[in-house]
Amino acid sequence: MKQGTIKQILLLTDGCSNHGEDPVAMAALAREQGITVNVIGMIDDQATDERGLQEIDQIALSGGGISQTVFAKQLSHTVQMVTRQAMTQTLQGVVNEQLKKILNKDTGMESLPPDTRGEVMEVVDELGETANLEVLILVDTSASMKSKLPTVKEALLDLSLSMNARMGSNLFSLSIFPGKRKDTEQLLDWTPKLDSLTSLFSKLSPGGLTPTGPAIREAISQFKKKRSRKGWLSGGDEYIEKSV
Amino acid sequence: MNTSRNQFNIGRGTVIHGKWHSQAYLVERLLGRGATGTVYLVNGPDGAAALKFSNSLSITAEMNVLKAFAKVQGSSLGPSLLDADDWESGYGVQPFYVMEYIQGPTLSAFIRMRGSSWIGVLLLQLLENLQTLHEAGWIFGDIKPDNLIVSGPPFALRCIDVGGTTKMGRAIKEYTEFFDRGYWRAGSRKAEPSYDLFAAAMVAINLVYPERFSRNEEGIKQLEAKVRQKKELQAIAPVLIKALQGKYSSASAMRTELLVSLNSETKKKEPVNRRSAVRKNNGRAIYKQKRKERGLFTLAAVLFIAVVYVLYVLTELLI
C-alpha cells in the first residue's frame, strides 16, 4: 500500500506582519494546494498585541491548520509541547477530514456510535503513524525574536526527534524571514533530520521587517521545487518512495 | 481544532444521559481538569464512577486503550472501562466515557506520608504491571507520579491516566518531559520496553526530587549524578542507572535485579551503606582472582608430580 504524504507549513512568529502580501490570503493559497498552515505565536508577557494574535489565528484558520500562542516566560517549557501538539492535532485533523468525506459530507465521527468510532480511530492512528510527512518550518527572525531563537532551536530539534520515532518518513525544510537580501532565506533544504540546525542557528542575526505573507508564498514554491526535482531523480529518493 | 472548547462547568446534581446506551449519571463533584479533558465523580447504575469528557478524538483513542487494557490478563494498572456514550447537552453533543473510580493518594503523596522505604516496593509493582502490558504488545508511555495512585490497603499501584499508551513500535505521542528519554537525550521516542523502564527510573528520581530539575548539557551523566547524591536511592542506584542507560531489555529483567538489591539492603543494614554498591561491583573481580590462584595451584601440583615421576623413573632405571 502506498502511503499518502501530509504537507505542512509550520510558522513560528511573535507578531504581525508589516511587509508584502496579506499572510492570511497566502495561507488560503497554500490550503488550496493541499498544504496546511500551522502557526505558533510567541508573544511577550506585557505587550499582548491584539492585532498580532488575531493575525495568528486567522492565518491558521484560512490555512486549514491550528494556532497556539505561548508566552515568552514559559517558552522553554511549552514551545516543544505546543509544537508537538500542533503536529499531532494536524495529523489527526487531516485524517479526520478524509474520513468525513468517506462517511458523509457534513457528519464526521460524532455521528457514529462510540464502538464504531473506536474502530475508525484505530485506522486514524495507523494512518498518522505511517503517513509520510513534509514540514516546511518558517521562522520569524525579526529583531524582537532574538531572545527567543535558542528556544526555537530546542523546540525544532525536539520536533525532529518526535517525528522520527514514527514509522512513516519525514522531510523537514527550514526557512527564515526576513532573509539577508530577499524576504525569505532557505537555511536548510529538505532533509529527514534537523540535527544540522544547531550550527545554523548560531550564525543568525535577527533584525528587519516581518514579511510573513511573502514568506508563506515562498514556502509554497519550495514544495513545488521539491516536486520537480523528484521528477528528475525519478525513484532515487528512497525515503519518499518508501511504502509499507 | 481547539481543545479548550471543552472547558465548560457542570454543577453538582446535573444528570448526564447517554444517547446510545441510555444510562444516567448523577454528577457528584469535579475530580480533575487537565490538558486532555475533565473528569467528574458520578453516581451511576453501579455506584461511584469517574466520568471523563474530552474532545471526540482523544476520548476515542483513550477508550481504545482502556479496551486493550481489559484484554491484558493480570494487569491491574489501568482503570476498567464501564461505559462510553454521547451526551446531548446545552453545550452540544459531548462524547464521554465512564471508568472505575480509583481512590487513594497519588504516589508522591503516599511516599511523603509513608517514607522512602516504599519507593522500591512500589517500583517492583510498577515493573510487574509493565511486564504484563509489554507482553501484550503495549507501551505505557506517559508514566509519572501524578498519574499513579496508591489504592488500598493492601496497597496496589494503579494508573488513572492511560492516554499515553501506545502500540509497540510506534511513536510515543503523549509524554511528560521530565520522564521522557528523548528530553534527556538518552534515546528515541519509539515505543519499546526500554522507554517505559527509563520513565520508571525517572519516577523513582522524582520521588526524591519532588521539585524536579531541568537538564543541563551533560545528558544522562547528570541523571546518574542525581541518583548517586540521594541516600534514599543508594540501594537501588545501580538498577536505576542501568535502566536510564537502556540496558534492560525487559521489565522482568529490571524487576529481578531490583528485587536482589532490595533484599541485600535489608541484610546489610549495619555496615556503612555506601560500600554496598562498591562491594557488589568488586564481587566479580575477586572471583576472577580466586580462579586465577586456583589455576596456579593446579599447575604447581602437576609440575611437582611430573618431577617426582621423572625422579622415580630415573631411580628405577639406575637401580
Side-chain angles (χ1 to χ4, degrees), chain A residues 68-81:
Chain A
Q68 296 270 2
T69 41
V70 53
F71 288 101
K73 223 187 223 170
Q74 313 142 331
L75 208 64
S76 54
H77 290 290
T78 46
V79 146
Q80 297 152 57
M81 192 185 71

Side-chain angles (χ1 to χ4, degrees), chain A residues 111-194:
Chain A
S111 63
L112 297 169
D115 282 344
T116 321
R117 217 180 284 164
E119 284 161 32
V120 174
M121 189 64 202
E122 246 164 63
V123 178
V124 173
D125 244 31
E126 180 77 36
L127 283 173
E129 179 71 32
T130 53
N132 298 332
L133 181 69
E134 291 172 4
V135 189
L136 192 141
I137 303 150
L138 266 181
V139 181
D140 176 353
T141 50
S142 57
S144 53
M145 283 289 286
K146 189 168 184 170
S147 61
K148 296 162 192 167
L149 286 180
T151 343
V152 170
K153 184 194 80 186
E154 288 299 315
L156 295 181
L157 288 175
D158 201 84
L159 177 72
S160 161
L161 186 72
S162 263
M163 289 302 125
N164 279 314
R166 298 181 325 123
M167 291 173 196
S169 72
N170 303 286
L171 280 180
F172 299 98
S173 171
L174 178 70
S175 294
I176 52 162
F177 64 99
K180 265 187 197 125
R181 278 179 211 98
K182 294 179 290 177
D183 283 339
T184 319
E185 188 182 331
Q186 190 184 45
L187 273 194
L188 200 62
D189 201 0
W190 294 101
T191 166
K193 282 193 177 179
L194 282 173

Side-chain angles (χ1 to χ4, degrees), chain B residues 300-317:
Chain B
V302 166
L303 275 173
F304 178 75
I305 290 167
V307 167
V308 169
Y309 181 73
V310 165
L311 281 173
Y312 169 77
V313 168
L314 282 174
T315 45
E316 282 288 296
L317 282 173

Side-chain angles (χ1 to χ4, degrees), chain B residues 63-74:
Chain B
M63 254 171 48
N64 279 350
V65 171
L66 285 172
K67 275 186 203 155
F69 262 85
K71 284 181 203 145
V72 179
Q73 292 287 314

